[in-house]
Amino acid sequence: MEELTWARLILAFAVMMAASISDWRTRTAGDGHWYLLGIGGSLLMGVQLWQEGAPWIYMVCLGLITLVFLDLLWDRPGIFEDGINPLPLVLYAATVVGYAYLSLEHFGEGRYWTMVSVPLLILLFFILYQLDVIKGGADAKALIALSLVFPLYPSLPGLPLLSLNDPAALTVLPFPVLVLFNGAILTLLVPLGMLILNLGRRDLRFPLMLFGVRMDLEEARGKQVWPMERVDDGRLRTSLFPRSDDETDWEGLRAAGVLRPWVTPKVPFLIPLTLALPFSLLAGNLLLYLMGA
């Protein structure tokens, strides 16, 4: 099954990289990325189930949960909006029935928990998005798609490099959740990078130097950055975490004599999520390793 693991990793990293580049350049990552990622992952899982000779209900449940995934990407009216929307209602009812039959007939057998983990992960990421824990819609869609790509923890010889005392503990946290966790850790490295960059440039102003850089005003206008300085009631104020909905007043800064304002780059979370894929494969669960698990 090592070939399928490599296929999953290549598919996930290639699509996530393309989506990250799109998000960096245009501030959007089209749903086509997630269609490709989710359907591709589902097909690979189908191949694995077929090779293992899994009962027919496994294939049915895989097909149903893939349709649920596609429905989540589809911009349609709600099930009970303006009456009853029967198509998604039938789909979700059929999915519940399919998984109920799977549980009755094959509870705990073979890939049962693998199949059950997919809808649970989709539900988890959907809830985290609704609670605004996951901020961007593209981030949530990426993680939901990864749930179809990695229903199994990717296992390759010699990996992860940070081995645990109990190797089974590595699979306690589903791989898509580990990617989210490690993506959040990687974002914490941004202040370190900013600090090193600003020390090299001798732009020393704490704590702004941990979260941004100084940039010529005209250059900043054409960059994907937020100003960390703004003119408010005639006074120059600073903000470590400028709000994305604040209107950028470059002319106000110029009038105040600020020709090299401090700015912070607009780094989509999709980028650390993408980097977290190989990081998670290579390093594994950093928290469990530090805890000595």
Side-chain angles (χ1 to χ4, degrees), residues 37 43 58 95 107 109 127 133 140 157 164 176 180 190 212 233 247 254 259 264 269 273 279 282 291:
L37 189 58
L43 290 174
Y58 282 78
T95 303
F107 182 82
E109 298 177 7
I127 291 174
V133 176
L164 303 178
L180 173 61
V190 172
D233 294 331
E247 185 176 347
R254 181 189 296 279
L259 301 181
T264 185
F269 186 56
L273 272 184
F279 179 83
L282 293 173
M291 292 172 59

Side-chain angles (χ1 to χ4, degrees), residues 151-284:
L152 300 168
Y153 196 96
S155 178
L156 291 173
L159 296 177
L161 299 176
L162 302 179
S163 57
L164 303 178
N165 294 326
D166 181 9
L170 188 64
T171 60
V172 170
L173 198 64
F175 191 70
V177 179
L178 181 61
V179 169
L180 173 61
F181 175 74
N182 284 335
I185 290 179
L186 290 176
T187 60
L188 299 179
L189 298 179
V190 172
L192 177 60
M194 292 292 183
L195 175 63
I196 294 173
L197 180 62
N198 285 314
L199 286 175
R201 293 179 172 180
R202 299 186 182 277
D203 287 330
L204 309 179
R205 185 179 175 185
F206 188 84
L208 295 181
M209 60 189 295
L210 296 177
F211 301 98
V213 296
R214 294 186 71 194
M215 185 177 293
D216 290 340
L217 190 65
E218 290 304 318
E219 182 184 359
R221 284 176 178 269
K223 296 288 187 179
Q224 296 286 357
V225 295
W226 285 301
M228 302 173 72
E229 298 175 283
R230 71 182 191 279
V231 178
D232 188 9
D233 294 331
R235 299 180 61 185
L236 185 64
R237 302 181 184 275
T238 61
S239 174
L240 293 180
F241 307 105
R243 297 189 309 176
S244 59
D245 56 351
D246 284 344
E247 185 176 347
T248 302
D249 184 12
W250 299 113
E251 288 303 321
L253 290 173
R254 181 189 296 279
V258 181
L259 301 181
R260 292 191 69 226
W262 284 89
V263 298
T264 185
K266 300 177 181 179
V267 180
F269 186 56
L270 204 54
I271 292 177
L273 272 184
T274 300
L275 297 177
L277 271 172
F279 179 83
S280 300
L281 179 68
L282 293 173

Side-chain angles (χ1 to χ4, degrees), residues 98-131:
Y99 270 89
Y101 182 84
L102 175 68
S103 299
L104 287 173
E105 294 294 324
H106 302 284
F107 182 82
E109 298 177 7
R111 295 293 183 191
Y112 172 79
W113 291 113
T114 299
M115 292 302 303
V116 170
S117 72
V118 177
L120 292 179
L121 285 172
I122 290 175
L123 181 61
L124 170 65
F125 292 133
F126 181 78
I127 291 174
L128 290 178
Y129 176 67
Q130 293 298 318
L131 295 176

